[in-house]
Amino acid sequence: MSLETFAAGFLDIALDVSFAILGFAFLATLLRIYRGPTLPDRVIGLDMLTAIAIGFIAVIGIDTGYTLYVDIAIALGLVGFLATVAFARFILARGGGDDEEKAS
Amino acid sequence: MAGAIILILAALLSLTGSIFVAIAAIGLLRLPDLYTRMHAASKAGTVGSGMMLIALALVSAGSAEALRAIAAVLFFILTAPISAHLLAKAAHAAGYRLWPGSVLNEMPALDVAPMPPDAGDGMVGSPDAQESDGGAAAPHGAPPQIAPRGAA
């Protein structure tokens, strides 16, 4: 077995395993968003979801050679950053904290 | 030969990146409070997706996509700490308490948001402020009331 065939097969296996692990991470983050006792927990979960989506885009790009989505990854990172900043401003303006979460 | 080595390197990078992202997700699930979860998500998550984008840049080396992937990595490294810091500061100012097992809270309560009246003596919560979602138990047994707030 030459080095080239080994490299191609290893890359295939590694990409499949990466897909599985990313799917697990996606589900775990969704579970945190569902349970997340407070609003900032859910905001962190959404931030994490954009990171996982960018990872998916990168792995899909390696797997299929269809790298058009890299632009979308950059836009997704920008939107995720702006959304987190806006949510931080909203949390700061809303105030309340733990007591309000318990009262509601 | 060189192409094969680059493929193997890309495979290793994508594997390690996805493992980093999985560690970040596990930390998001298992860690006890907002601030420790933020620590897991922003650091390990950024490293994970950055490694996968670098793997993509290696595979498509020489094309415009490689440059875009590198630019995306730089952008994430630039923005992830800012957003995490901003969110942590906003949550702290809004009165979200630290986990009772935390040993140090050097940041005094800010005056930007209305504070709950019983949070005046530091943000170290009472035992009933503990998370109710079955998080990890306090490592020191009963959490001591350490409130080293400010310089006092």
Side-chain angles (χ1 to χ4, degrees):
Chain A
M1 188 159 81
S2 71
L3 190 62
E4 274 75 16
T5 55
F6 168 75
F10 182 58
L11 184 64
D12 273 348
I13 295 171
L15 289 181
D16 286 346
V17 174
S18 296
F19 273 127
I21 296 174
L22 277 176
F24 162 73
F26 201 86
L27 288 181
T29 311
L30 279 185
L31 184 60
R32 171 49 70 197
I33 293 177
Y34 172 70
R35 288 206 313 201
T38 64
L39 176 65
D41 285 312
R42 297 194 165 96
V43 177
I44 297 173
L46 288 177
D47 202 27
M48 185 72 201
L49 275 191
T50 55
I52 296 174
I54 288 160
F56 261 120
I57 287 172
V59 177
I60 287 172
I62 299 172
D63 198 14
T64 63
Y66 195 61
T67 51
L68 192 64
Y69 288 138
V70 178
D71 296 337
I72 298 176
I74 296 176
L76 200 61
L78 183 62
V79 169
F81 170 63
L82 290 180
T84 310
V85 171
F87 266 119
R89 298 290 299 179
F90 170 65
I91 289 165
L92 194 64
R94 195 186 63 153
D98 281 341
D99 294 344
E100 198 167 289
E101 305 266 351
K102 273 180 191 137
S104 61
Chain B
M1 180 67 192
I5 289 175
I6 282 179
L7 282 190
I8 290 174
L9 212 60
L12 286 178
L13 272 175
S14 90
L15 259 185
T16 348
S18 62
I19 287 171
F20 263 106
V21 169
I23 288 172
I26 291 171
L28 209 61
L29 264 186
R30 293 288 302 158
L31 286 175
D33 77 344
L34 168 70
Y35 305 98
T36 49
R37 277 175 208 149
M38 190 172 300
H39 151 90
S42 67
K43 277 193 266 195
T46 308
V47 168
S49 56
M51 280 177 121
M52 283 184 271
L53 279 173
I54 289 174
L56 175 64
L58 273 182
V59 167
S60 63
S63 65
E65 275 74 26
L67 210 61
R68 281 186 198 138
I70 299 290
V73 173
L74 287 181
F75 181 74
F76 294 137
I77 290 175
L78 217 61
T79 58
I82 298 173
S83 64
H85 177 86
L86 213 55
L87 189 60
K89 203 172 172 185
H92 193 280
Y96 290 96
R97 288 188 186 82
L98 268 65
W99 180 45
S102 307
V103 292
L104 187 58
N105 178 18
E106 284 188 320
M107 193 177 185
L110 300 176
D111 284 334
V112 270
M115 294 293 296
D118 60 335
D121 53 348
M123 302 289 253
V124 179
S126 47
D128 65 340
Q130 215 156 6
E131 286 249 15
S132 57
D133 65 340
H140 316 298
Q145 289 290 325
I146 308 169
R149 182 161 164 265

